[in-house]
Coordinates of all heavy atoms in Angstrom, one line a residue:
M229 N 113.3 89.1 99.2 CA 113.5 88.0 100.1 C 114.9 87.5 100.1 O 115.6 87.5 99.1 CB 112.6 86.9 99.9 CG 111.2 87.3 100.4 SD 110.0 85.9 100.5 CE 108.6 86.5 99.4
G230 N 115.5 87.0 101.2 CA 116.8 86.5 101.3 C 116.9 85.1 100.8 O 115.9 84.5 100.5
K231 N 118.2 84.5 100.8 CA 118.3 83.2 100.4 C 117.6 82.2 101.2 O 117.3 81.1 100.7 CB 119.8 82.9 100.5 CG 120.6 83.4 99.3 CD 122.0 82.9 99.3 CE 122.6 83.1 97.9 NZ 123.8 82.4 97.7
E232 N 117.3 82.5 102.4 CA 116.6 81.5 103.3 C 115.3 81.2 102.7 O 114.7 80.1 103.1 CB 116.5 82.0 104.7 CG 115.6 83.1 105.0 CD 116.3 84.4 104.9 OE1 117.3 84.6 104.3 OE2 115.8 85.5 105.5
Y233 N 114.8 81.9 101.9 CA 113.4 81.8 101.2 C 113.5 81.0 99.9 O 112.5 80.7 99.3 CB 112.7 83.1 101.1 CG 112.2 83.7 102.5 CD1 112.9 84.7 103.0 CD2 111.2 83.1 103.1 CE1 112.6 85.1 104.2 CE2 110.8 83.5 104.4 CZ 111.4 84.7 104.9 OH 111.2 85.2 106.1
D234 N 114.7 80.8 99.4 CA 114.8 80.2 98.1 C 114.2 78.8 98.0 O 113.8 78.4 97.0 CB 116.3 80.0 97.6 CG 116.9 81.5 97.2 OD1 116.1 82.5 97.2 OD2 118.1 81.7 97.0
K235 N 114.2 78.1 99.1 CA 113.7 76.8 99.2 C 112.1 76.6 99.1 O 111.6 75.6 98.9 CB 114.2 75.9 100.3 CG 113.8 76.5 101.6 CD 114.2 75.7 102.8 CE 113.8 76.2 104.0 NZ 114.2 75.4 105.3
Y236 N 111.5 77.7 99.3 CA 110.0 77.7 99.3 C 109.5 78.0 97.8 O 109.9 79.0 97.2 CB 109.5 78.8 100.3 CG 109.9 78.5 101.7 CD1 110.7 79.3 102.3 CD2 109.4 77.3 102.3 CE1 111.2 79.0 103.6 CE2 109.7 77.0 103.6 CZ 110.7 77.8 104.2 OH 111.1 77.6 105.4
C237 N 108.5 77.3 97.6 CA 107.8 77.5 96.2 C 106.5 78.3 96.4 O 106.0 78.9 95.4 CB 107.4 76.2 95.6 SG 108.8 75.1 95.3
H238 N 105.9 78.4 97.5 CA 104.7 78.9 97.8 C 104.7 79.8 99.1 O 105.3 79.5 100.0 CB 103.6 78.0 98.0 CG 103.6 76.8 97.0 ND1 103.1 77.0 95.7 CD2 104.0 75.6 97.1 CE1 103.3 75.9 95.0 NE2 103.8 75.0 95.8
F239 N 104.1 81.0 98.9 CA 104.0 81.9 100.0 C 102.7 82.3 100.3 O 101.8 82.6 99.4 CB 104.8 83.1 99.8 CG 106.3 82.8 99.7 CD1 107.0 82.7 98.5 CD2 107.1 82.7 100.9 CE1 108.3 82.4 98.3 CE2 108.4 82.6 100.7 CZ 109.0 82.3 99.4
V240 N 102.3 82.3 101.6 CA 100.9 82.8 102.0 C 101.2 83.8 102.9 O 102.0 83.7 104.0 CB 100.1 81.6 102.8 CG1 98.8 82.3 103.3 CG2 99.9 80.5 101.9
F241 N 100.8 85.1 102.6 CA 101.0 86.3 103.5 C 99.7 86.5 104.2 O 98.6 86.6 103.7 CB 101.3 87.4 102.7 CG 102.6 87.2 101.9 CD1 102.7 86.9 100.7 CD2 103.9 87.6 102.5 CE1 103.9 86.6 100.0 CE2 105.0 87.4 101.8 CZ 105.1 86.9 100.5
V242 N 99.8 86.7 105.6 CA 98.6 87.0 106.4 C 98.9 88.2 107.1 O 99.9 88.4 107.8 CB 98.5 85.8 107.5 CG1 97.1 86.1 108.3 CG2 98.2 84.5 106.7
C243 N 97.9 89.1 106.8 CA 98.0 90.4 107.6 C 98.0 90.3 109.0 O 97.1 89.6 109.6 CB 97.0 91.4 106.9 SG 97.0 93.0 107.8
N244 N 98.8 90.8 109.7 CA 98.8 90.9 111.2 C 98.6 92.3 111.8 O 99.1 92.5 112.8 CB 100.0 90.3 111.8 CG 99.8 88.7 112.1 OD1 100.0 88.2 113.1 ND2 99.4 88.1 111.0
G245 N 98.0 93.1 111.0 CA 97.6 94.5 111.4 C 96.7 94.4 112.4 O 96.0 93.4 112.7
K246 N 96.4 95.6 113.0 CA 95.5 95.6 114.2 C 94.0 95.1 113.9 O 93.5 94.4 114.6 CB 95.3 97.1 114.7 CG 94.7 97.2 116.0 CD 94.8 98.8 116.4 CE 93.5 99.4 116.7 NZ 93.6 100.9 117.0
D247 N 93.5 95.6 112.8 CA 92.1 95.2 112.5 C 92.1 93.7 112.1 O 91.2 93.0 112.3 CB 91.6 96.0 111.4 CG 91.2 97.4 111.8 OD1 90.8 97.6 113.0 OD2 91.4 98.3 111.0
C248 N 93.0 93.2 111.3 CA 93.0 91.8 111.0 C 93.2 90.9 112.2 O 92.5 89.9 112.3 CB 94.1 91.5 109.9 SG 93.6 92.2 108.3
C249 N 94.0 91.4 113.1 CA 94.1 90.5 114.4 C 93.0 90.5 115.2 O 92.6 89.4 115.6 CB 95.3 91.0 115.3 SG 96.9 90.7 114.5
K250 N 92.2 91.6 115.2 CA 90.8 91.7 115.9 C 89.9 90.6 115.2 O 89.0 90.2 115.8 CB 90.3 93.0 115.9 CG 90.8 93.9 116.9 CD 89.9 95.2 117.1 CE 90.6 96.5 117.0 NZ 89.9 97.6 116.7
S251 N 90.1 90.5 113.9 CA 89.2 89.6 113.1 C 89.7 88.2 113.0 O 89.2 87.4 112.1 CB 89.0 90.3 111.7 OG 88.5 91.6 111.9
G252 N 90.7 87.8 113.7 CA 91.0 86.5 113.8 C 92.3 86.1 113.0 O 92.5 84.9 112.7
A253 N 93.1 87.0 112.6 CA 94.2 86.8 111.8 C 95.2 85.6 112.3 O 95.8 84.9 111.6 CB 95.1 88.1 111.4
K254 N 95.4 85.7 113.7 CA 96.2 84.7 114.2 C 95.7 83.3 114.0 O 96.5 82.4 113.7 CB 96.4 84.9 115.7 CG 96.9 86.4 116.1 CD 98.4 86.5 116.1 CE 98.8 87.9 116.6 NZ 100.1 88.3 116.1
D255 N 94.4 83.1 114.1 CA 93.9 81.7 113.8 C 93.9 81.4 112.4 O 94.2 80.2 112.0 CB 92.4 81.8 114.4 CG 92.4 81.8 115.8 OD1 93.3 81.4 116.5 OD2 91.3 82.2 116.2
I256 N 93.8 82.4 111.5 CA 93.9 82.2 110.1 C 95.4 81.7 109.7 O 95.5 80.8 108.9 CB 93.5 83.4 109.3 CG1 92.0 84.0 109.5 CG2 93.8 83.4 107.9 CD1 91.1 82.9 109.0
Q257 N 96.2 82.4 110.3 CA 97.7 82.1 110.2 C 97.9 80.5 110.6 O 98.6 79.9 109.9 CB 98.6 83.0 110.9 CG 100.1 82.8 110.7 CD 100.8 83.8 111.6 OE1 100.3 85.0 111.8 NE2 102.0 83.5 112.0
K258 N 97.6 80.3 111.8 CA 97.7 78.8 112.3 C 97.0 77.9 111.3 O 97.6 76.7 111.2 CB 97.1 78.7 113.8 CG 98.0 79.4 114.6 CD 97.3 79.3 116.1 CE 98.0 80.2 117.0 NZ 97.2 80.2 118.4
Q259 N 95.8 78.1 110.9 CA 95.1 77.3 110.0 C 95.8 77.1 108.8 O 95.8 75.8 108.1 CB 93.6 77.8 109.9 CG 92.8 76.6 109.2 CD 92.5 75.5 110.0 OE1 92.5 75.5 111.2 NE2 92.4 74.4 109.3
F260 N 96.3 78.1 108.2 CA 97.2 77.9 106.9 C 98.3 77.0 107.1 O 98.6 76.1 106.4 CB 97.6 79.3 106.4 CG 96.7 80.0 105.5 CD1 96.0 81.2 105.6 CD2 96.4 79.3 104.2 CE1 95.2 81.7 104.7 CE2 95.5 79.9 103.3 CZ 94.9 81.2 103.5
S261 N 99.1 77.3 108.2 CA 100.2 76.4 108.5 C 99.8 75.0 108.8 O 100.4 74.1 108.1 CB 100.9 76.9 109.7 OG 101.5 78.2 109.5
K262 N 98.7 74.8 109.4 CA 98.2 73.3 109.7 C 97.8 72.6 108.4 O 98.1 71.5 108.1 CB 97.1 73.4 110.7 CG 96.5 72.0 111.1 CD 95.4 72.3 112.0 CE 94.7 70.9 112.2 NZ 93.2 71.0 112.1
E263 N 97.1 73.4 107.7 CA 96.7 72.9 106.3 C 97.8 72.6 105.4 O 97.7 71.6 104.7 CB 95.6 73.8 105.6 CG 94.9 73.3 104.6 CD 93.8 72.2 104.9 OE1 93.4 72.2 106.1 OE2 93.5 71.4 104.1
L264 N 98.7 73.4 105.3 CA 99.9 73.2 104.3 C 100.7 71.9 104.9 O 101.1 71.2 104.0 CB 100.8 74.5 104.3 CG 100.1 75.6 103.6 CD1 100.9 76.9 103.9 CD2 100.0 75.5 102.1
K265 N 100.8 71.9 106.2 CA 101.6 70.6 106.8 C 100.8 69.3 106.4 O 101.4 68.4 106.0 CB 101.6 70.8 108.1 CG 102.5 69.7 108.9 CD 102.6 70.0 110.4 CE 103.4 68.9 111.1 NZ 103.4 69.1 112.4
E266 N 99.5 69.4 106.7 CA 98.7 68.3 106.4 C 98.7 67.8 104.9 O 98.5 66.7 104.6 CB 97.3 68.5 106.8 CG 97.1 68.4 108.3 CD 95.6 68.8 108.8 OE1 94.7 68.8 107.9 OE2 95.4 68.8 110.0
K267 N 98.9 68.7 104.0 CA 98.9 68.5 102.5 C 100.3 68.1 102.1 O 100.5 68.2 100.8 CB 98.1 69.4 101.8 CG 96.6 69.4 102.2 CD 95.8 70.2 101.3 CE 94.3 69.7 101.8 NZ 93.3 70.9 101.6
G268 N 101.2 68.1 103.0 CA 102.5 67.7 102.6 C 103.4 68.9 102.0 O 104.4 68.6 101.3
L269 N 103.0 70.2 102.4 CA 103.6 71.3 101.7 C 104.5 72.0 102.7 O 105.0 73.2 102.4 CB 102.5 72.2 101.0 CG 101.8 71.7 100.0 CD1 100.6 72.6 99.6 CD2 102.6 71.5 98.7
K270 N 104.8 71.4 103.9 CA 105.5 72.1 104.9 C 106.8 72.5 104.5 O 107.3 73.7 104.7 CB 105.8 71.2 106.1 CG 106.4 72.0 107.4 CD 106.3 71.0 108.5 CE 107.0 71.8 109.6 NZ 107.3 71.0 110.7
A271 N 107.5 71.7 103.7 CA 108.9 72.0 103.2 C 108.9 73.0 102.1 O 110.0 73.7 101.8 CB 109.6 70.7 102.9
S272 N 107.8 73.2 101.3 CA 107.9 74.0 100.1 C 107.0 75.3 100.2 O 106.9 76.1 99.4 CB 107.4 73.3 99.0 OG 106.0 72.8 99.1
A273 N 106.3 75.4 101.3 CA 105.4 76.5 101.5 C 105.7 77.3 102.7 O 106.1 76.6 103.9 CB 103.9 76.2 101.5
R274 N 105.5 78.5 102.8 CA 105.8 79.3 104.0 C 104.6 80.3 104.3 O 104.1 81.0 103.3 CB 107.2 80.1 103.7 CG 107.6 80.9 104.9 CD 108.3 80.1 106.0 NE 108.4 80.9 107.2 CZ 109.6 81.5 107.5 NH1 110.6 81.3 106.7 NH2 109.7 82.2 108.6
V275 N 104.2 80.5 105.5 CA 103.3 81.4 105.9 C 104.0 82.6 106.6 O 104.8 82.4 107.5 CB 102.2 80.8 106.8 CG1 101.2 81.9 107.4 CG2 101.5 79.5 106.3
I276 N 103.7 83.8 106.0 CA 104.4 85.0 106.5 C 103.5 86.0 107.0 O 102.5 86.3 106.3 CB 105.3 85.5 105.3 CG1 106.4 84.5 105.0 CG2 106.0 86.9 105.8 CD1 107.1 84.9 103.8
K277 N 103.8 86.5 108.2 CA 103.1 87.6 108.8 C 103.4 89.1 108.1 O 104.5 89.2 107.9 CB 103.2 87.7 110.2 CG 102.8 86.6 111.0 CD 102.9 86.8 112.5 CE 104.3 86.8 113.0 NZ 104.4 86.9 114.5
T278 N 102.4 89.8 107.8 CA 102.8 91.1 107.2 C 102.1 92.2 108.1 O 101.3 91.9 109.1 CB 102.1 91.3 105.9 OG1 100.7 91.5 106.0 CG2 102.4 90.1 104.9
K279 N 102.6 93.4 107.9 CA 102.0 94.6 108.6 C 100.7 94.9 107.8 O 100.3 94.2 106.9 CB 102.9 95.7 108.6 CG 104.2 95.5 109.4 CD 105.1 96.7 109.3 CE 106.3 96.4 110.2 NZ 107.2 97.5 110.2
C280 N 99.9 95.9 108.2 CA 98.8 96.2 107.6 C 98.9 96.4 106.1 O 99.8 97.1 105.6 CB 98.2 97.5 108.2 SG 96.7 98.2 107.3
T281 N 98.0 95.9 105.3 CA 98.1 95.8 103.9 C 97.2 96.9 103.3 O 97.1 97.0 102.2 CB 97.6 94.4 103.3 OG1 96.3 94.2 103.6 CG2 98.6 93.4 103.8
G282 N 96.4 97.6 104.2 CA 95.6 98.7 103.6 C 94.2 98.3 103.3 O 93.5 99.2 102.8
R283 N 93.8 97.1 103.7 CA 92.4 96.7 103.3 C 91.7 96.4 104.6 O 91.0 95.4 104.7 CB 92.5 95.6 102.3 CG 93.1 96.1 101.1 CD 93.2 95.0 100.0 NE 91.8 94.7 99.4 CZ 91.6 94.0 98.3 NH1 92.6 93.5 97.7 NH2 90.4 93.8 97.9
C284 N 91.9 97.2 105.6 CA 91.4 96.9 107.0 C 89.9 96.6 107.0 O 89.3 95.8 107.9 CB 91.6 98.0 108.0 SG 93.4 98.5 107.9
K285 N 89.1 97.3 106.2 CA 87.7 97.1 106.3 C 87.3 95.7 105.7 O 86.1 95.3 105.9 CB 87.0 98.2 105.4 CG 87.0 99.4 106.1 CD 86.3 100.5 105.3 CE 86.5 101.9 106.1 NZ 86.0 103.1 105.3
E286 N 88.2 95.0 105.1 CA 88.0 93.6 104.6 C 88.6 92.6 105.4 O 88.8 91.5 104.9 CB 88.3 93.5 103.1 CG 87.6 94.6 102.3 CD 88.2 94.8 101.0 OE1 89.3 95.1 100.7 OE2 87.5 94.2 99.9
A287 N 89.0 92.9 106.5 CA 89.8 92.0 107.5 C 89.0 90.7 107.8 O 87.7 90.9 107.9 CB 90.2 92.7 108.7
P288 N 89.8 89.6 108.0 CA 91.2 89.5 107.9 C 91.6 89.2 106.5 O 90.8 88.6 105.6 CB 91.5 88.1 108.8 CG 90.1 87.4 108.8 CD 89.0 88.4 108.6
V289 N 92.8 89.7 106.1 CA 93.2 89.7 104.7 C 94.4 88.7 104.6 O 95.3 88.6 105.5 CB 93.7 91.1 104.3 CG1 94.3 91.1 103.0 CG2 92.5 92.0 104.4
A290 N 94.5 88.0 103.6 CA 95.6 87.0 103.2 C 95.9 87.3 101.8 O 95.1 87.6 101.1 CB 95.3 85.6 103.5
I291 N 97.2 87.0 101.4 CA 97.6 87.0 99.9 C 98.2 85.6 99.6 O 99.2 85.3 100.3 CB 98.6 88.1 99.7 CG1 98.0 89.5 100.2 CG2 98.9 88.1 98.2 CD1 99.0 90.6 100.3
V292 N 97.7 85.0 98.6 CA 98.1 83.7 98.2 C 98.5 83.9 96.7 O 97.6 84.0 95.9 CB 97.2 82.6 98.5 CG1 97.8 81.2 98.0 CG2 96.8 82.5 99.8
G293 N 99.9 83.9 96.5 CA 100.3 84.0 95.0 C 99.9 85.5 94.7 O 100.2 86.5 95.4
Q294 N 99.1 85.6 93.7 CA 98.5 86.9 93.2 C 97.3 87.2 93.6 O 96.6 88.1 93.2 CB 98.8 87.0 91.7 CG 100.1 86.9 91.2 CD 100.2 86.9 89.6 OE1 99.2 86.7 89.0 NE2 101.4 87.0 89.2
H295 N 96.7 86.4 94.6 CA 95.2 86.5 94.9 C 95.1 87.2 96.3 O 95.8 86.8 97.2 CB 94.5 85.1 95.0 CG 94.7 84.5 93.6 ND1 93.7 84.6 92.6 CD2 95.6 83.6 93.2 CE1 94.0 84.0 91.6 NE2 95.2 83.2 91.8
W296 N 94.4 88.2 96.4 CA 94.1 88.9 97.6 C 92.7 88.2 98.1 O 91.7 88.2 97.4 CB 93.8 90.3 97.4 CG 95.1 91.2 97.0 CD1 95.8 91.2 96.1 CD2 95.7 92.0 98.2 NE1 96.9 92.1 96.3 CE2 96.8 92.6 97.5 CE3 95.3 92.3 99.5 CZ2 97.6 93.5 98.3 CZ3 96.1 93.1 100.2 CH2 97.2 93.7 99.6
L297 N 92.9 87.7 99.3 CA 91.6 87.2 99.9 C 91.2 88.0 101.2 O 92.1 88.3 102.0 CB 92.1 85.7 100.5 CG 92.7 84.8 99.4 CD1 93.2 83.6 99.9 CD2 91.8 84.5 98.3
T298 N 90.0 88.3 101.1 CA 89.4 89.2 102.2 C 88.4 88.5 102.9 O 87.7 87.6 102.5 CB 88.9 90.4 101.5 OG1 87.9 90.1 100.6 CG2 90.0 91.2 100.7
R299 N 88.1 89.0 104.1 CA 87.2 88.3 105.1 C 87.3 86.8 105.1 O 86.4 86.1 105.0 CB 85.8 88.7 104.7 CG 85.5 90.3 104.8 CD 84.1 90.6 104.4 NE 83.9 92.1 104.6 CZ 84.1 92.9 103.5 NH1 84.2 92.4 102.4 NH2 83.9 94.2 103.8
V300 N 88.7 86.3 105.2 CA 89.0 85.0 105.2 C 88.4 84.3 106.5 O 88.5 84.8 107.6 CB 90.5 84.8 105.2 CG1 90.8 83.3 105.2 CG2 91.1 85.4 104.0
K301 N 87.8 83.2 106.3 CA 87.3 82.3 107.5 C 88.1 81.0 107.4 O 88.5 80.4 106.4 CB 85.8 82.0 107.1 CG 85.0 83.4 107.2 CD 83.3 83.0 107.1 CE 82.6 84.2 107.2 NZ 83.0 85.5 106.8
E302 N 88.3 80.5 108.7 CA 89.1 79.3 108.9 C 88.5 78.2 108.0 O 89.4 77.4 107.4 CB 89.0 78.9 110.3 CG 90.0 79.8 111.1 CD 90.1 79.2 112.5 OE1 90.6 78.0 112.7 OE2 89.6 79.9 113.5
N303 N 87.3 78.1 107.9 CA 86.7 76.9 107.2 C 86.9 77.0 105.8 O 86.6 76.1 105.0 CB 85.2 76.6 107.6 CG 84.3 77.8 107.1 OD1 84.8 78.8 106.5 ND2 83.0 77.8 107.4
Q304 N 87.4 78.1 105.3 CA 87.6 78.3 103.7 C 89.1 77.8 103.4 O 89.4 77.7 102.3 CB 87.5 79.8 103.4 CG 86.0 80.3 103.6 CD 86.1 81.8 103.3 OE1 87.0 82.5 103.6 NE2 85.1 82.4 102.6
I305 N 89.8 77.7 104.4 CA 91.4 77.6 104.2 C 91.6 76.2 103.4 O 92.4 76.2 102.4 CB 92.1 77.8 105.5 CG1 92.0 79.2 105.8 CG2 93.6 77.3 105.2 CD1 92.6 79.6 107.1
P306 N 91.1 75.0 103.8 CA 91.3 73.8 103.0 C 91.0 74.1 101.5 O 91.9 73.7 100.6 CB 90.3 72.8 103.5 CG 90.2 73.3 104.9 CD 90.1 74.8 105.0
A307 N 90.0 74.6 101.1 CA 89.7 75.0 99.7 C 90.7 75.9 99.1 O 91.0 75.8 97.9 CB 88.2 75.4 99.6
I308 N 91.1 76.9 100.0 CA 92.1 77.9 99.3 C 93.4 77.2 99.0 O 93.9 77.4 98.0 CB 92.2 79.1 100.4 CG1 91.0 80.0 100.5 CG2 93.4 79.9 100.0 CD1 91.1 80.8 101.6
V309 N 93.7 76.5 100.0 CA 95.1 75.6 99.7 C 95.0 74.7 98.5 O 95.8 74.6 97.7 CB 95.5 74.9 101.0 CG1 96.7 73.9 100.7 CG2 95.8 75.9 102.1
D310 N 93.8 74.0 98.5 CA 93.6 73.2 97.3 C 93.7 73.8 96.0 O 94.2 73.5 95.0 CB 92.2 72.4 97.3 CG 92.3 71.3 98.5 OD1 93.4 71.0 98.9 OD2 91.2 70.8 98.8
G311 N 92.9 75.1 96.1 CA 92.8 75.8 94.7 C 93.9 76.8 94.3 O 94.3 76.7 93.2
L312 N 94.6 77.3 95.3 CA 95.5 78.2 95.0 C 97.0 77.8 95.3 O 97.9 78.4 94.8 CB 95.3 79.6 95.8 CG 94.0 80.2 95.4 CD1 93.8 81.6 96.4 CD2 93.9 80.6 94.0
V313 N 97.2 76.7 96.1 CA 98.5 76.2 96.3 C 98.8 75.0 95.6 O 99.7 74.9 94.8 CB 98.8 76.2 97.9 CG1 100.2 75.7 98.1 CG2 98.5 77.7 98.6
L314 N 97.9 74.0 95.9 CA 98.2 72.6 95.3 C 98.1 72.7 93.8 O 98.7 72.0 93.2 CB 97.1 71.8 96.0 CG 97.5 71.1 97.3 CD1 96.5 70.2 97.8 CD2 98.8 70.4 97.2
Q315 N 97.3 73.5 93.2 CA 97.1 73.5 91.8 C 98.4 74.0 91.1 O 98.7 73.7 90.0 CB 96.1 74.3 91.3 CG 96.2 75.8 91.4 CD 95.1 76.7 90.8 OE1 94.1 76.1 90.4 NE2 95.3 78.0 90.8
K316 N 99.3 74.6 91.9 CA 100.6 75.0 91.3 C 101.7 74.2 91.9 O 103.0 74.5 91.6 CB 100.8 76.5 91.7 CG 99.7 77.4 91.0 CD 100.0 78.9 91.3 CE 98.8 79.6 90.5 NZ 98.9 81.0 90.8
A317 N 101.5 73.2 92.7 CA 102.5 72.5 93.4 C 103.1 71.4 92.4 O 102.5 71.1 91.3 CB 102.0 71.7 94.6
Ligands
LIG434 S1 95.1 95.4 109.6 FE1 95.0 93.9 108.1 S2 94.5 95.2 106.2 FE2 94.9 96.7 107.8

């Protein structure tokens, strides 16, 4: 990653491949951004779209830190941010 990413401490990668998009990846991405903003992490966390990560049968897929999250649902995102992002903030 380039220098423009140096200011971020946390990264959430959301697959935007075909199957994940069909399974709601765009909404997952928006919800992660909203949740990070609401928890005061907008300046230190970044949500990044990725191409297919190869786990299409488990769509939608996100990666937070070293954790692969599969079949992510919007209502899980507050707990994901609390558990995997805020605990390391
Ligand atoms: S489309 Fe997301 S894992 Fe393939």
Side-chain angles (χ1 to χ4, degrees):
M229 284 192 233
K231 276 190 169 194
E232 70 270 20
Y233 290 104
D234 287 352
K235 65 181 179 179
Y236 299 109
C237 301
H238 311 284
F239 293 93
V240 174
F241 297 93
V242 179
C243 179
N244 267 236
K246 190 170 124 188
D247 288 330
C248 285
C249 283
K250 276 193 232 166
S251 300
K254 303 273 185 210
D255 291 333
I256 297 297
Q257 185 182 329
K258 284 181 193 167
Q259 189 62 36
F260 267 117
S261 295
K262 181 177 172 227
E263 191 68 25
L264 291 166
K265 184 178 177 185
E266 285 177 6
K267 293 191 169 149
L269 296 166
K270 185 179 178 187
S272 63
R274 180 82 192 260
V275 180
I276 297 174
K277 296 186 281 189
T278 72
K279 294 182 178 178
C280 177
T281 61
R283 297 180 74 169
C284 310
K285 290 183 180 172
E286 301 171 288
V289 173
I291 303 164
V292 181
Q294 298 177 345
H295 302 273
W296 282 77
L297 308 170
T298 57
R299 297 184 180 95
V300 179
K301 295 185 175 35
E302 282 186 69
N303 64 3
Q304 297 173 319
I305 292 173
I308 292 168
V309 170
D310 287 348
L312 298 181
V313 180
L314 275 177
Q315 74 175 8
K316 295 182 179 176

